[in-house]
Amino acid sequence: MEIELLEEAVDKIIRSQDIELYYAEYEVDDPDTVVIRENKSAIIIININFETNIPIVARKSHELSHVIYGSDEPSVYNFSIGLRNEAEKIANKGMVNILAKLAFYETPLEYRSPYKFMEAFHFPTLSYEKMVIEAIENV
């Protein structure tokens, strides 16, 4: 599936979850953010100027995963591709699962390449390989 189609599918999931999605033009070192609020819709803010090689569709999926798979306690999370704490591990695993399901739902297992998938989204191989292989096998 092309990146543009993946992004449309992720946007559809975001809308279905009643999450507010905004685009902002902040400084290049200001990451994307998700705000989880009590008794209100969550807010995802994508900084279109954020300097990272991770595509926006993956960043949206990451922030979406904080809402879907993370704690429902009021929180603010900034995008991080690292696996340094439990909240980021959950969000990054959710991101990989969302993208794998959308990208490979019609693709037979033998044609799914975890390495091309990681390359397309610029995921670090050493820390993501096992997670990606598992996600792709479970589509």
Side-chain angles (χ1 to χ4, degrees):
M1 182 179 274
E2 294 179 26
I3 294 288
E4 295 81 18
L5 295 175
L6 279 175
E7 189 163 357
E8 287 175 18
V10 169
D11 287 349
K12 185 176 179 179
I13 296 169
I14 290 170
R15 285 191 303 274
S16 76
Q17 296 291 316
D18 293 322
I19 298 169
E20 298 175 34
L21 175 62
Y22 299 100
Y23 297 90
E25 294 186 37
Y26 298 134
E27 298 297 319
V28 296
D29 57 350
D30 290 330
D32 307 315
T33 303
V34 63
V35 181
I36 300 173
R37 307 180 297 173
E38 190 170 353
N39 300 319
K40 292 183 180 178
S41 298
I43 300 171
I44 294 175
I45 304 167
I46 300 297
N47 176 10
I48 60 174
N49 294 330
F50 182 44
E51 286 189 0
T52 179
N53 62 350
I54 307 297
I56 286 179
V57 65
R59 292 160 37 199
K60 285 181 184 180
S61 298
H62 170 94
E63 302 307 343
L64 171 62
S65 293
H66 277 296
V67 178
I68 294 175
Y69 304 114
S71 169
D72 59 355
E73 294 292 318
S75 305
V76 176
Y77 298 102
N78 293 317
F79 176 78
S80 171
I81 198 67
L83 301 170
R84 64 177 185 257
N85 64 49
E86 195 60 29
E88 293 308 314
K89 288 177 186 176
I90 290 168
N92 286 323
K93 184 175 182 179
M95 167 186 67
V96 168
N97 287 331
I98 288 168
L99 294 172
K101 285 178 186 173
L102 294 173
F104 295 119
Y105 73 97
E106 292 183 330
T107 305
L109 183 58
E110 61 269 18
Y111 297 111
R112 301 175 193 168
S113 170
Y115 303 101
K116 287 181 182 178
F117 181 84
M118 286 186 286
E119 183 180 313
F121 294 106
H122 303 278
F123 295 153
T125 305
L126 286 177
S127 52
Y128 275 72
E129 182 177 28
K130 182 179 176 186
M131 184 182 352
V132 168
I133 290 170
E134 184 178 294
I136 288 174
E137 288 175 350
N138 291 323
V139 170

